[in-house]
mmCIF file of all heavy atoms in Angstrom:
data_model
loop_
_atom_site.group_PDB
_atom_site.id
_atom_site.type_symbol
_atom_site.label_atom_id
_atom_site.label_comp_id
_atom_site.label_asym_id
_atom_site.label_seq_id
_atom_site.Cartn_x
_atom_site.Cartn_y
_atom_site.Cartn_z
ATOM 1 N N ALA U 202 -22.083 9.424 36.417
ATOM 2 C CA ALA U 202 -20.635 9.619 36.276
ATOM 3 C C ALA U 202 -20.303 11.054 35.879
ATOM 4 O O ALA U 202 -19.372 11.661 36.413
ATOM 5 C CB ALA U 202 -20.062 8.640 35.239
ATOM 6 N N GLY U 203 -21.087 11.601 34.942
ATOM 7 C CA GLY U 203 -20.826 12.958 34.472
ATOM 8 C C GLY U 203 -21.052 13.995 35.560
ATOM 9 O O GLY U 203 -20.228 14.889 35.772
ATOM 10 N N VAL U 204 -22.167 13.883 36.276
ATOM 11 C CA VAL U 204 -22.470 14.882 37.297
ATOM 12 C C VAL U 204 -21.505 14.746 38.473
ATOM 13 O O VAL U 204 -21.044 15.744 39.037
ATOM 14 C CB VAL U 204 -23.941 14.789 37.742
ATOM 15 C CG1 VAL U 204 -24.231 15.832 38.810
ATOM 16 C CG2 VAL U 204 -24.868 14.972 36.542
ATOM 17 N N SER U 205 -21.166 13.529 38.809
ATOM 18 C CA SER U 205 -20.223 13.317 39.904
ATOM 19 C C SER U 205 -18.858 13.922 39.564
ATOM 20 O O SER U 205 -18.224 14.557 40.415
ATOM 21 C CB SER U 205 -20.095 11.814 40.159
ATOM 22 O OG SER U 205 -19.260 11.570 41.253
ATOM 23 N N LEU U 206 -18.422 13.763 38.335
ATOM 24 C CA LEU U 206 -17.128 14.333 37.941
ATOM 25 C C LEU U 206 -17.190 15.864 37.892
ATOM 26 O O LEU U 206 -16.222 16.545 38.253
ATOM 27 C CB LEU U 206 -16.692 13.765 36.584
ATOM 28 C CG LEU U 206 -15.264 14.087 36.111
ATOM 29 C CD1 LEU U 206 -14.222 13.761 37.163
ATOM 30 C CD2 LEU U 206 -14.936 13.328 34.820
ATOM 31 N N ALA U 207 -18.338 16.394 37.502
ATOM 32 C CA ALA U 207 -18.501 17.853 37.523
ATOM 33 C C ALA U 207 -18.367 18.381 38.956
ATOM 34 O O ALA U 207 -17.691 19.380 39.204
ATOM 35 C CB ALA U 207 -19.855 18.243 36.934
ATOM 36 N N CYS U 208 -19.023 17.702 39.892
ATOM 37 C CA CYS U 208 -18.912 18.107 41.300
ATOM 38 C C CYS U 208 -17.446 18.117 41.727
ATOM 39 O O CYS U 208 -16.964 19.068 42.347
ATOM 40 C CB CYS U 208 -19.672 17.128 42.202
ATOM 41 S SG CYS U 208 -21.459 17.214 42.006
ATOM 42 N N SER U 209 -16.748 17.066 41.401
ATOM 43 C CA SER U 209 -15.359 16.936 41.808
ATOM 44 C C SER U 209 -14.504 18.051 41.194
ATOM 45 O O SER U 209 -13.661 18.645 41.877
ATOM 46 C CB SER U 209 -14.852 15.558 41.380
ATOM 47 O OG SER U 209 -13.478 15.452 41.571
ATOM 48 N N GLN U 210 -14.739 18.367 39.922
ATOM 49 C CA GLN U 210 -13.952 19.440 39.286
ATOM 50 C C GLN U 210 -14.261 20.795 39.911
ATOM 51 O O GLN U 210 -13.380 21.643 40.046
ATOM 52 C CB GLN U 210 -14.195 19.455 37.772
ATOM 53 C CG GLN U 210 -13.591 18.233 37.061
ATOM 54 C CD GLN U 210 -13.558 18.371 35.544
ATOM 55 O OE1 GLN U 210 -13.960 19.401 35.005
ATOM 56 N NE2 GLN U 210 -13.084 17.341 34.857
ATOM 57 N N LEU U 211 -15.515 21.002 40.302
ATOM 58 C CA LEU U 211 -15.867 22.247 40.975
ATOM 59 C C LEU U 211 -15.259 22.299 42.366
ATOM 60 O O LEU U 211 -14.721 23.327 42.790
ATOM 61 C CB LEU U 211 -17.384 22.397 41.066
ATOM 62 C CG LEU U 211 -18.095 22.749 39.761
ATOM 63 C CD1 LEU U 211 -19.609 22.643 39.935
ATOM 64 C CD2 LEU U 211 -17.726 24.163 39.296
ATOM 65 N N ASP U 212 -15.348 21.192 43.115
ATOM 66 C CA ASP U 212 -14.798 21.156 44.471
ATOM 67 C C ASP U 212 -13.320 21.535 44.465
ATOM 68 O O ASP U 212 -12.829 22.196 45.363
ATOM 69 C CB ASP U 212 -14.928 19.745 45.066
ATOM 70 C CG ASP U 212 -16.379 19.342 45.280
ATOM 71 O OD1 ASP U 212 -17.255 20.229 45.272
ATOM 72 O OD2 ASP U 212 -16.640 18.129 45.425
ATOM 73 N N LEU U 213 -12.605 21.085 43.447
ATOM 74 C CA LEU U 213 -11.166 21.313 43.404
ATOM 75 C C LEU U 213 -10.797 22.533 42.566
ATOM 76 O O LEU U 213 -9.625 22.840 42.341
ATOM 77 C CB LEU U 213 -10.456 20.063 42.884
ATOM 78 C CG LEU U 213 -10.604 18.859 43.817
ATOM 79 C CD1 LEU U 213 -10.082 17.593 43.167
ATOM 80 C CD2 LEU U 213 -9.846 19.116 45.126
ATOM 81 N N ALA U 214 -11.834 23.255 42.070
ATOM 82 C CA ALA U 214 -11.616 24.548 41.413
ATOM 83 C C ALA U 214 -10.689 24.493 40.224
ATOM 84 O O ALA U 214 -9.862 25.366 40.003
ATOM 85 C CB ALA U 214 -11.109 25.570 42.440
ATOM 86 N N TYR U 215 -10.794 23.413 39.432
ATOM 87 C CA TYR U 215 -10.010 23.381 38.197
ATOM 88 C C TYR U 215 -10.600 24.339 37.168
ATOM 89 O O TYR U 215 -9.926 24.751 36.238
ATOM 90 C CB TYR U 215 -10.035 21.970 37.572
ATOM 91 C CG TYR U 215 -9.357 20.928 38.386
ATOM 92 C CD1 TYR U 215 -10.039 19.773 38.776
ATOM 93 C CD2 TYR U 215 -8.029 21.070 38.774
ATOM 94 C CE1 TYR U 215 -9.409 18.788 39.512
ATOM 95 C CE2 TYR U 215 -7.395 20.088 39.519
ATOM 96 C CZ TYR U 215 -8.095 18.952 39.896
ATOM 97 O OH TYR U 215 -7.479 17.991 40.621
ATOM 98 N N GLY U 216 -11.880 24.627 37.347
ATOM 99 C CA GLY U 216 -12.630 25.333 36.313
ATOM 100 C C GLY U 216 -12.159 26.749 36.084
ATOM 101 O O GLY U 216 -12.414 27.334 35.037
ATOM 102 N N THR U 217 -11.450 27.321 37.040
ATOM 103 C CA THR U 217 -11.002 28.698 36.880
ATOM 104 C C THR U 217 -9.822 28.790 35.917
ATOM 105 O O THR U 217 -9.424 29.870 35.525
ATOM 106 C CB THR U 217 -10.571 29.284 38.236
ATOM 107 O OG1 THR U 217 -9.541 28.440 38.754
ATOM 108 C CG2 THR U 217 -11.727 29.317 39.208
ATOM 109 N N ALA U 218 -9.254 27.625 35.575
ATOM 110 C CA ALA U 218 -8.071 27.648 34.712
ATOM 111 C C ALA U 218 -8.472 27.717 33.247
ATOM 112 O O ALA U 218 -9.379 27.030 32.811
ATOM 113 C CB ALA U 218 -7.219 26.410 34.958
ATOM 114 N N ARG U 219 -7.772 28.565 32.498
ATOM 115 C CA ARG U 219 -7.978 28.649 31.072
ATOM 116 C C ARG U 219 -7.383 27.411 30.423
ATOM 117 O O ARG U 219 -6.299 26.955 30.770
ATOM 118 C CB ARG U 219 -7.229 29.882 30.537
ATOM 119 C CG ARG U 219 -7.490 30.196 29.067
ATOM 120 C CD ARG U 219 -6.615 31.358 28.612
ATOM 121 N NE ARG U 219 -5.206 31.066 28.842
ATOM 122 C CZ ARG U 219 -4.460 30.279 28.043
ATOM 123 N NH1 ARG U 219 -4.989 29.741 26.981
ATOM 124 N NH2 ARG U 219 -3.186 30.079 28.322
ATOM 125 N N ARG U 220 -8.087 26.848 29.425
ATOM 126 C CA ARG U 220 -7.554 25.710 28.692
ATOM 127 C C ARG U 220 -6.650 26.222 27.591
ATOM 128 O O ARG U 220 -7.009 27.127 26.866
ATOM 129 C CB ARG U 220 -8.693 24.945 28.019
ATOM 130 C CG ARG U 220 -9.508 24.203 29.012
ATOM 131 C CD ARG U 220 -10.764 23.654 28.401
ATOM 132 N NE ARG U 220 -11.177 22.608 29.287
ATOM 133 C CZ ARG U 220 -10.844 21.338 29.140
ATOM 134 N NH1 ARG U 220 -10.152 20.955 28.100
ATOM 135 N NH2 ARG U 220 -11.215 20.449 30.023
#
Side-chain angles (χ1 to χ4, degrees):
Chain U
V204 180
S205 183
L206 189 51
C208 291
S209 171
Q210 291 192 2
L211 286 171
D212 294 344
L213 295 171
Y215 294 124
T217 58
R219 187 185 57 79
R220 288 170 160 267

